[in-house]
């Protein structure tokens, strides 16, 4: 103590004849003071403080040596530790049903030297869950202070919901409002992206804006997660703004997760760029990707390669069928009239270079083949917009412009953007505007006068027949448009099954979605009608295996997302999908061919995601609109599309032959191996009972109350300062049982990393009680002291790679140190009673010698652990260094070959000075980058043992 304040001596020094002490003082930092001017009291351990008490008074319930407080302190220490590699800490800290193959992916990532990986699992396997688990693993090791999720805009709400619901992670949306708020709070000169304790989610479209580029270059994140990473891949000689932005943030991150079910598009350069985001030193520019290289950075499993313990495929087959709908004469005339109108406006937009208006016509054509309700509402809105004379391209909102640029929006914003775009016109004169208004009035009148809706009737009959023939089945029906959904609900409102229809669309909030999902899965309702707001983030595989698409989305990926709601882990029936398509329309012919092709390639390759990957950059919208514009028959468009697909398919098959992108098998042996890790990790924080006991004892020790309210259900009155700020002392109802909490979403799950438990743990560790305990134990034969050491190891970068407690019992007679007995002492419950005073005096008198023996033992254990860690880390870094040198040599040779070529041209008389200097600068930059990476690997190879500290002592006596 220095003037009554806790302080740690750094050094002493003399200036002339004056002696000074440099010390670190709590709350003040380092300070150098004159020894004559301050009062110094040496620190005394808890055992030394016992001299203030009469030995006769000490017993296991005495405050100075309380066995209960010793156990509380020990348990709090265990909860605090980062633990070791090879154990999964996220199992106890998440509220989601975990599948073995998901834990396998998490374990694979966490065993890597650097947690940077591409997770390419198929649609429906749970990449979101895997990313959340890895984030929790890193957080438990104090390596997730700064977190950035970069996702497509329409998935932001899903990520926020899932991270909160399953992992208790509260993500902040980094949007325009956040940016302006942070700039006001921190000042315009501050880098708002470079802050501690920041967990952000933002959209690709928002973050790629030029204004953020300098700040992003100067920011650093502990963890970056890029969802739909293929959208940020580099293509061609001029990478997109999104690709450049992702290149920056991935380069400025420690851990990195790229998520994509479709990591390649059948070409190659895009996939290669994803590999380079993870590690830019893996492959030299003029070298091909190898299977070994890809296997080091990507884990990828398909639904057809996951097996249960009996060798049976976990995912059942699926059958996709088309249901033809014949148009009536009136419907056919209406279809042609709208298509003619679309063609005329589209042609004018092309001539006047107004792509936004062409986009509006594509939207109209899509809604034409959706439903009468959708096209009627669209025509009516467009007519109203033209009559209001407000439809000008220059006045488009930010979200509408983002949509035109290809950004994926959430359903609400997408609907608003489409409605806004749908009103755009290229009419340049009053006469042209009036002509278009007259045409629209005629089309609206035709829509209203249609006597029947053939598709709606066929869908209605399909549902009635299904429920009559298979009354125990449930049906999930999707449509792309809210207008179609509302129209269909009105159309079937008089059906006997209408009151069983549940509805999800963009306006349904999180709580209501959860209620609807629960009712469909567990209740009596047999029908769920939804827009694409339900195509991600809900799981219906346990209750439903039949799906209908009122229309096919023009994006095959979206169709796969829909199917993924029921074709997921846990589905036991063959999945049946029914697509309703009009006969003899350009769209139906093209989409039927497209869907047939998808299923055909899927059956050959075994992975749907691979098929979707090769379709990802094919602009189906443009192909259809061009065929309308040019009056081409559907067969011509089909032929062009088929050629594009087959070209990419050939590339994909070649990659499969080289084993670059094929999926790995998760079989019974894989299950056994990951189960060993799970078993080893199961009680890493202590069992459920241990945590409950700690919470109850700690709450009551600080004056709170703990009450059981039912099976697995509890409530507590918390001590002051333990509950979240702004909340009262009543906490609950809550549970310690993960499975119970997953079945009861309104019940709080008290996970080991819950804030309340963490604050309680910190309060226990701050309390002086528990530093020394006294236990009377029936399995101890001779008196001694148990020293509970905390040992930790870092690498040269400061990352904790292993942390654990080593309890060491040393008997007073032989000074024999034993870890196994120490562990029994720490876990054992003391018998109440009065200790033998002579035994107690013996251990106190010899405690200095016993500590020496304990230190000697623990130093041997530390060296054993350190040697094991060094051996493993050397093996990992040696492989990385070898690959780095191969990369460096290949790049040197490539750049030097350019220099030699330019020098030959210079000798022949050409002015090559600038070209030669440019390549020489590239060579210097290469050497700098290589040396920086080499130094990082050396630091990662370094294993540093932190000084073992005795967390607490236990005077251990026989009965």
């Amino acid at each position: 103590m220095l003037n009554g304040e806790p302080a740690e001596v750094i050094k002493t020094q003399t200036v002339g004849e004056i002696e000074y002490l440099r010390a670190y003082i709590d709350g003040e930092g380092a300070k150098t003071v004159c020894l004559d001017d301050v009062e110094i009291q040496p620190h005394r351990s808890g055992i030394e403080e016992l001299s203030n008490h009469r030995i006769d008074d000490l017993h296991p319930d005495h405050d100075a040596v309380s066995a209960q407080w010793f156990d509380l302190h020990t348990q709090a220490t265990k909860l605090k530790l980062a633990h070791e590699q090879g154990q999964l800490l996220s199992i106890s800290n998440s509220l989601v049903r975990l599948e073995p193959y998901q834990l396998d992916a998490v374990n694979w990532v966490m065993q890597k030297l650097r947690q940077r990986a591409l997770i390419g699992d198929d649609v429906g396997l749970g990449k979101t869950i895997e990313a959340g688990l890895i984030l929790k693993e890193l957080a438990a090791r104090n390596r997730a202070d700064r977190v950035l999720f970069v996702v497509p805009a329409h998935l932001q709400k899903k990520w926020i919901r899932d991270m909160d619901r399953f992992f208790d992670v509260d993500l902040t949306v980094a949007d325009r409002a956040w940016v302006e708020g942070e700039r006001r709070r921190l000042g315009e000169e501050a880098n708002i992206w470079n802050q501690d304790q920041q967990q952000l989610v933002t959209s690709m479209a928002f973050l790629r804006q030029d204004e953020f580029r300098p700040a992003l270059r100067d920011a650093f994140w502990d963890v970056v997660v890029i969802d739909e990473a293929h959208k940020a891949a580099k293509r061609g000689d001029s990478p997109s703004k999104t690709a450049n932005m992702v290149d920056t943030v991935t380069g400025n991150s420690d851990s990195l997760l790229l998520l994509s079910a479709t990591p390649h598009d059948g070409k190659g350069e895009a996939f290669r760029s994803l590999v380079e985001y993870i590690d830019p030193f893996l492959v030299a520019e003029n070298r091909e990707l190898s299977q070994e290289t890809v296997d080091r950075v990507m884990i990828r499993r398909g639904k057809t390669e996951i097996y249960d313990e009996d060798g049976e495929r976990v995912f059942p087959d699926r059958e996709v069928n088309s249901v033809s709908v014949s148009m009536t004469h009136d419907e056919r005339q209406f279809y042609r009239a709208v298509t003619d109108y679309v063609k005329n406006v589209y042609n004018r937009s092309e001539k006047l270079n107004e792509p936004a208006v062409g986009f509006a016509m594509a939207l109209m054509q899509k809604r034409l083949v959706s439903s009468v309700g959708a096209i009627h509402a669209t025509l009516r809105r467009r007519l109203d917009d033209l009559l209001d004379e407000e439809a000008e391209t220059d006045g488009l909102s930010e979200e509408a412009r983002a949509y035109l640029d290809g950004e994926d929006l959430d359903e609400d914003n997408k609907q608003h953007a489409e409605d806004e775009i749908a009103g755009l016109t290229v009419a340049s004169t009053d006469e042209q505007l009036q002509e278009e208004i007259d045409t629209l009035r005629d089309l609206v009148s035709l829509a209203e006068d249609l006597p029947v809706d053939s598709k709606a009737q066929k869908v209605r009959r399909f549902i009635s027949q299904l429920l009559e023939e298979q009354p125990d089945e449930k049906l999930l029906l999707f449509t792309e448009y809210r207008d179609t959904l509302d129209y269909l609900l009105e159309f079937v409102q008089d059906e006997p099954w209408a009151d069983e229809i549940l509805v999800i669309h963009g306006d349904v909030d999180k709580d209501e979605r959860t209620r609807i999902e629960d009712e469909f899965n567990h209740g009596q309702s047999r029908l769920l009608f939804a827009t694409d707001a339900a195509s991600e983030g809900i799981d219906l595989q346990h209750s439903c295996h039949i799906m209908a698409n009122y229309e096919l989305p023009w994006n095959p990926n979206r169709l796969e997302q829909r199917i993924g709601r029921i074709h997921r882990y846990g589905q036991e029936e063959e999945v049946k999908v029914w697509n309703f398509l009009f006969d003899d329309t350009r769209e139906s012919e093209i989409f039927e061919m497209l869907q047939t092709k998808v299923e055909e390639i899927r059956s050959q390759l075994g992975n749907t995601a691979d098929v979707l990957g090769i379709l990802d950059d094919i602009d189906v919208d443009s192909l259809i609109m061009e065929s309308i514009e040019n009056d081409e028959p559907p067969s011509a468009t089909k032929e062009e599309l088929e050629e594009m697909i087959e070209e990419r398919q050939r590339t994909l098959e070649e990659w499969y032959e080289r084993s670059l992108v094929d999926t790995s098998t998760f079989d019974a042996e894989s299950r056994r191996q990951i189960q060993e890790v799970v078993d080893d990790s199961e009680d890493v924080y202590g069992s459920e009972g241990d945590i409950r006991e700690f919470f109850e004892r700690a709450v009551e020790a600080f004056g709170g109350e703990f009450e059981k309210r039912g099976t697995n259900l509890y409530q507590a009155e918390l001590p002051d300062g333990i509950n979240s700020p702004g909340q009262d002392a009543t906490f609950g109802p809550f549970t310690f049982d993960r499975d119970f909490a997953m079945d009861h979403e309104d019940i709080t799950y008290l996970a080991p990393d819950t804030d309340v438990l963490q604050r309680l743990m910190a309060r226990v560790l701050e309390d002086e009680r528990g530093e020394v305990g006294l236990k009377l134990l029936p399995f101890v034969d001779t008196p001694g002291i148990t020293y509970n050491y905390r040992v930790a190891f870092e690498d040269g970068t400061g990352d904790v790679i292993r942390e654990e407690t080593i309890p060491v019992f040393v008997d007073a007679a032989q000074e024999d140190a034993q870890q196994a007995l120490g562990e029994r002492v720490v876990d054992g419950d003391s018998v109440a009673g009065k200790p033998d005073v002579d035994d107690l005096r013996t251990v106190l008198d010899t405690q200095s010698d016993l500590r020496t023996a304990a230190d000697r033992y623990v130093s041997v254990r530390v060296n054993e652990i350190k040697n094991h860690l060094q051996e493993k880390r050397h093996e990992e870094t040696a492989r990385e260094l070898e690959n780095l040198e191969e990369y460096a040599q290949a790049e040197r040779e490539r750049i030097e070959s350019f220099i030699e070529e330019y020098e030959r041209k210079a000798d022949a008389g050409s002015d090559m000075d600038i070209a030669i200097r440019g390549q020489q600068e590239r060579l210097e930059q290469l050497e700098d980058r290589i040396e920086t990476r080499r130094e990082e690997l050396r630091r990662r190879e370094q294993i540093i043992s932190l000084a073992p500290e005795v967390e607490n002592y236990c005077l251990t006596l026989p009965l």
Side-chain angles (χ1 to χ4, degrees):
M1 303 284 282
L2 191 65
N3 282 347
E5 296 294 331
E8 184 175 349
V9 175
I10 299 174
K11 67 175 182 178
T12 58
Q13 63 187 75
T14 303
V15 178
E17 297 182 355
I18 304 176
E19 289 186 297
Y20 288 89
L21 175 75
R22 185 163 180 78
Y24 182 86
I25 305 170
D26 281 1
E28 296 185 43
K31 183 183 288 188
T32 305
V33 296
C34 176
L35 280 172
D36 293 337
D37 300 336
V38 294
E39 181 181 342
I40 297 174
Q41 294 176 303
H43 172 74
R44 301 182 71 199
S45 71
I47 287 184
E48 291 170 329
E49 290 288 345
L50 292 181
S51 61
N52 298 330
H53 299 274
R54 283 168 44 89
I55 290 182
D56 295 16
D57 294 337
L58 299 180
H59 54 82
D61 294 324
H62 191 286
D63 265 0
V65 289
S66 166
Q68 178 180 333
W69 271 99
F70 173 84
D71 289 340
L72 276 176
H73 192 105
T74 301
Q75 184 88 24
T77 301
K78 191 173 184 180
L79 286 167
K80 179 183 174 185
L81 298 186
H83 299 282
E84 61 182 291
Q85 282 187 315
Q87 292 178 316
L88 296 178
L89 314 179
S90 55
I91 298 174
S92 302
N93 287 332
S94 58
L95 205 54
V96 60
R97 299 193 189 283
L98 305 174
E99 307 301 344
Y101 67 84
Q102 293 171 339
L103 293 173
D104 182 55
V106 175
N107 189 55
W108 177 78
V109 171
M110 293 308 299
Q111 291 303 303
K112 290 166 63 68
L113 183 62
R114 302 196 308 162
Q115 280 63 55
R116 298 176 69 87
L118 168 57
I119 300 179
D121 284 350
D122 204 349
V123 175
L125 293 188
K127 292 181 291 298
T128 300
I129 299 302
E130 291 163 352
L133 290 168
I134 292 166
L135 178 61
K136 296 294 277 189
E137 292 290 336
L138 293 168
R141 294 166 173 82
N142 302 315
R143 292 176 51 201
D145 182 58
R146 300 178 175 201
V147 179
L148 176 67
F149 285 80
V150 184
V151 308
H154 75 287
L155 296 179
Q156 283 187 106
K157 290 180 181 177
K158 173 183 180 295
W159 275 100
I160 292 168
R161 183 177 66 246
D162 288 352
M163 288 298 104
D164 177 48
R165 177 184 179 187
F166 298 133
F167 304 106
D168 195 27
V169 172
D170 185 17
L171 296 180
T172 298
V173 180
D175 55 10
R176 180 56 58 190
W178 176 82
V179 167
E180 292 175 355
E182 289 297 281
R183 284 174 175 168
R184 284 193 300 271
R185 184 175 70 88
L186 299 173
E188 290 292 331
E189 299 304 315
N191 188 343
I192 61 174
W193 302 100
N194 197 39
Q195 301 183 59
D196 292 335
Q197 297 180 326
Q198 192 177 60
Q199 295 185 315
L200 302 177
V201 60
T202 189
S203 75
M204 293 176 175
F206 186 74
L207 200 60
R208 71 187 178 205
Q209 296 178 85
D210 292 341
E211 66 175 287
F212 302 133
R213 194 180 305 163
L216 295 179
R217 281 197 293 261
D218 293 335
F220 187 84
W221 293 274
D222 297 312
V223 187
V224 167
V225 179
I226 312 289
D227 193 19
E228 301 285 326
H230 56 278
K231 296 180 183 293
K234 296 178 181 178
R235 294 177 173 87
D237 296 330
S238 300
S240 67
K241 283 186 175 182
T242 300
N244 287 330
M245 173 271 294
V246 167
D247 195 14
T248 299
V249 299
T250 56
N252 291 352
S253 64
D254 181 17
S255 298
L256 170 65
L257 298 177
L258 303 181
L259 312 179
S260 175
T262 56
H264 58 84
D265 57 6
K267 292 182 180 177
E269 61 180 352
F271 178 69
R272 185 187 181 103
S273 73
L274 298 182
V275 173
E276 289 172 348
Y277 290 152
I278 295 166
D279 188 345
F281 298 101
L282 268 181
V283 189
E285 196 170 317
N286 59 348
R287 299 291 172 89
E288 292 287 333
L289 284 174
S290 67
Q291 179 186 353
E292 180 188 2
T293 300
V294 173
D295 286 347
R296 287 176 57 196
V297 298
M298 181 174 77
I299 185 168
R300 191 157 195 254
R301 283 81 54 87
K303 290 175 180 172
T304 57
E305 281 79 37
I306 296 180
Y307 297 87
D308 62 19
E309 55 273 10
D310 298 321
E312 298 293 327
R313 272 177 46 193
V314 167
F315 288 88
D317 290 329
R318 74 185 200 189
E319 179 184 317
V320 180
N321 305 283
S322 294
V323 181
S324 296
V325 180
S326 298
M327 289 185 182
T328 63
H329 173 74
D330 291 335
E331 287 174 321
R332 179 70 58 189
Q333 292 299 107
F334 176 66
Y335 172 82
R336 288 171 180 162
V338 174
T339 302
D340 285 343
Y341 165 73
V342 166
K343 180 179 73 172
N344 291 332
V345 178
Y346 188 84
N347 285 346
R348 290 211 305 272
S349 73
E350 290 288 289
K351 289 174 184 175
L352 296 173
N353 193 27
E354 290 282 1
V357 179
F359 196 94
M361 292 301 99
L363 292 176
M364 186 166 289
Q365 193 69 21
K366 289 180 182 181
R367 294 183 175 201
L368 172 62
V369 293
S370 174
S371 70
V372 172
I375 189 58
H376 174 260
T378 303
L379 290 167
R380 168 55 66 187
R381 278 194 293 267
R382 182 168 178 81
L383 176 60
D384 291 342
D385 286 340
L386 295 189
L387 289 170
D388 290 342
E389 298 183 348
E390 292 179 351
E392 295 182 8
T393 308
D394 294 341
L396 286 178
S397 65
E398 184 178 328
E399 67 185 18
R401 291 193 175 279
Y403 190 43
L404 287 172
D405 288 339
E407 178 65 18
D408 291 317
L409 305 179
D410 63 36
E411 187 172 290
D412 282 350
N413 290 333
K414 177 184 172 185
Q415 182 71 49
H416 293 149
E418 288 188 351
D419 290 347
E420 189 177 347
I421 293 166
L424 298 177
T425 182
V426 288
S428 55
T429 66
D430 289 344
E431 290 78 11
Q432 288 178 343
L433 181 60
Q434 187 58 50
E435 181 184 346
E436 185 171 353
I437 288 172
D438 291 342
T439 301
L440 284 168
R441 280 178 172 146
D442 291 340
L443 292 174
V444 169
S445 179
L446 282 174
E448 291 172 345
D449 292 342
L450 284 174
V452 296
D453 182 337
S454 300
K455 187 196 279 190
Q457 287 182 339
K458 194 143 195 174
V459 169
R460 182 171 59 189
R461 285 197 300 271
F462 170 83
I463 296 173
S464 295
Q465 185 176 348
L466 173 69
L467 297 182
E468 183 180 338
E469 295 177 358
Q470 303 176 65
D472 294 331
E473 296 293 356
K474 297 191 175 189
L475 171 70
L476 170 62
L477 183 143
F478 272 108
T479 177
E480 189 164 359
Y481 303 107
R482 177 73 179 275
D483 289 330
T484 297
L485 178 63
D486 293 341
Y487 171 77
L488 183 59
L489 289 170
E490 184 178 351
F491 190 83
V492 301
Q493 63 183 350
D494 294 328
E495 294 299 315
W497 36 263
D499 60 350
E500 294 188 56
I501 300 173
L502 301 168
V503 179
I504 292 180
H505 49 70
D507 288 338
V508 176
D509 65 28
K510 177 180 72 173
D511 293 338
E512 181 64 6
R513 276 173 65 108
T514 300
R515 187 198 67 77
I516 291 170
E517 182 180 351
D518 187 62
E519 166 62 22
F520 188 68
N521 279 328
H522 307 293
Q524 298 301 310
S525 299
R526 293 180 292 174
L527 300 168
L528 174 56
F529 289 9
T531 63
D532 283 315
S535 67
E536 294 182 276
I538 64 171
D539 300 333
L540 308 173
Q541 70 273 25
H542 297 293
S543 60
C544 177
H545 69 103
I546 303 172
M547 190 180 94
N549 289 297
Y550 198 85
E551 76 289 298
L552 278 178
W554 287 26
N555 181 345
N557 272 296
R558 186 153 292 164
L559 176 60
E560 196 58 37
Q561 291 289 356
R562 292 179 179 182
I563 296 174
R565 297 311 94 212
I566 59 176
H567 196 213
R568 306 179 69 78
Y569 189 91
Q571 178 61 262
E572 297 180 352
E573 305 286 339
E574 181 182 47
V575 170
K576 294 185 180 295
V577 180
W578 303 90
N579 301 321
F580 287 81
L581 298 167
F582 282 121
D583 283 340
D584 301 325
T585 65
R586 174 181 281 99
E587 296 81 9
S588 65
E589 286 193 37
I590 291 170
F591 286 122
E592 191 161 14
M593 181 279 291
L594 195 60
Q595 191 57 40
T596 301
K597 201 72 179 172
V598 166
E599 293 300 315
E600 177 187 308
I601 303 174
R602 186 182 71 86
S603 65
Q604 292 173 11
L605 301 180
N607 194 323
T608 307
D610 288 325
V611 190
L612 300 178
I614 66 178
L615 298 175
D616 194 52
D617 69 334
I618 296 177
D619 192 345
V620 179
D621 293 31
S622 295
L623 285 173
I624 292 176
M625 295 310 294
E626 285 170 13
S627 74
I628 291 174
E629 178 187 16
N630 301 322
D631 275 331
E632 292 177 349
S635 58
T637 309
K638 283 170 59 179
E639 187 176 335
E640 182 181 359
L641 184 57
E642 205 158 5
E643 286 177 7
M644 295 171 74
I645 293 172
E646 287 173 356
E647 177 189 349
R648 287 160 172 76
Q649 183 182 351
R650 285 191 292 271
T651 304
L652 187 61
E653 288 169 348
E654 177 193 334
W655 280 37
Y656 261 84
E657 288 172 9
R658 292 165 55 198
S659 298
L660 288 183
V661 293
D662 53 350
T663 51
S664 59
T665 299
F666 187 83
D667 55 16
E669 176 59 19
S670 308
R671 285 175 174 272
R672 186 193 63 76
Q673 291 174 0
I674 192 60
Q675 190 59 47
E676 288 181 0
V677 175
V678 171
D679 291 343
D680 188 42
S681 309
E682 193 168 19
D683 290 338
V684 70
Y685 289 109
S687 67
E688 174 193 320
D690 293 334
I691 294 173
R692 183 182 66 247
E693 183 180 34
F694 168 78
F695 187 82
E696 179 179 1
R697 285 182 174 182
V699 166
E700 293 176 346
F702 290 116
E705 297 178 5
F706 182 91
E707 179 185 0
K708 184 166 185 176
R709 297 292 299 274
T711 305
N712 293 320
L713 207 56
Y714 305 88
Q715 184 167 305
E717 291 296 317
L718 297 176
D720 291 342
I722 297 299
N723 210 350
S724 301
Q727 296 188 358
D728 61 26
T730 302
F731 179 68
F734 62 91
T735 185
F736 300 93
D737 187 309
R738 279 183 71 246
D739 292 331
F740 184 82
M742 283 186 280
D743 291 335
H744 302 81
E745 290 197 3
D746 56 331
I747 302 300
T748 299
Y749 170 51
L750 204 73
D753 67 347
T754 303
D755 287 344
V756 166
L757 193 61
Q758 290 291 307
R759 282 191 285 268
L760 198 57
M761 173 199 78
R763 179 79 67 86
V764 168
L765 293 176
E766 289 166 3
D767 201 291
E768 292 182 356
R769 291 171 292 181
E771 184 181 348
V772 182
L774 189 158
K775 289 188 178 183
L776 302 176
L777 298 167
F779 52 80
V780 173
D781 297 324
T782 58
I785 299 178
T786 300
Y787 299 86
N788 197 22
Y789 287 90
R790 179 173 64 85
V791 299
F793 302 86
E794 295 179 348
D795 64 17
T797 69
D799 284 346
V800 176
I801 55 177
R802 182 160 171 170
E803 194 173 19
E804 61 186 283
T805 56
I806 299 180
V808 181
F809 170 79
V810 185
D811 72 275
Q814 304 295 324
E815 297 182 8
D816 181 28
Q818 303 175 60
Q819 182 176 344
L821 186 54
E823 289 169 351
R824 291 185 68 190
V825 170
V826 165
D827 293 337
D829 291 328
S830 176
V831 174
K834 194 77 172 170
D836 185 289
V837 173
D838 291 336
D839 284 349
L840 191 52
R841 184 173 287 110
T842 297
V843 296
L844 291 175
D845 289 346
T846 60
Q847 63 96 8
S848 178
D849 293 335
L850 301 187
R851 173 63 185 268
T852 300
D855 283 349
R856 191 163 51 242
Y857 176 88
V858 89
S859 69
V860 173
R861 286 289 296 122
V862 165
N863 277 327
E864 289 173 352
I865 298 170
K866 183 177 177 180
N867 290 337
H868 169 72
L869 293 175
Q870 282 179 327
E871 183 179 337
K872 182 182 179 187
R873 188 54 69 95
H874 174 73
E875 182 181 325
E876 292 170 339
T877 53
R879 187 166 59 248
E880 295 260 346
L881 282 166
E882 182 182 341
N883 290 328
L884 179 64
E885 297 307 332
E886 288 177 6
Y887 169 88
Q889 186 58 33
E891 282 292 280
R892 284 191 201 102
E893 291 173 358
R894 187 175 67 85
I895 295 172
E896 286 168 353
S897 70
F898 285 129
I899 294 174
E900 290 171 4
E901 180 185 347
Y902 295 156
E903 287 176 340
R904 283 195 299 271
K905 290 181 178 180
D907 291 342
S910 299
D911 183 4
M912 303 301 294
D913 286 352
I914 294 177
I916 291 171
R917 279 201 306 273
Q919 293 300 325
Q920 287 172 337
E921 287 174 4
R922 288 185 66 189
L923 193 58
E924 290 172 5
Q925 291 168 358
L926 170 68
E927 297 300 345
D928 289 343
R929 290 169 56 227
I930 293 298
E931 184 53 38
T932 299
R933 180 62 180 276
R934 195 182 283 129
E935 179 57 32
E936 182 202 339
L937 287 172
R938 290 194 192 105
R939 291 198 306 272
R940 288 191 180 275
E941 183 179 17
Q942 188 179 16
I943 302 296
I944 300 170
S945 166
L946 303 185
E949 296 181 3
V950 176
E951 283 290 324
N952 50 357
Y953 311 78
C954 184
L955 308 178
T956 310
L957 307 178
L959 292 178

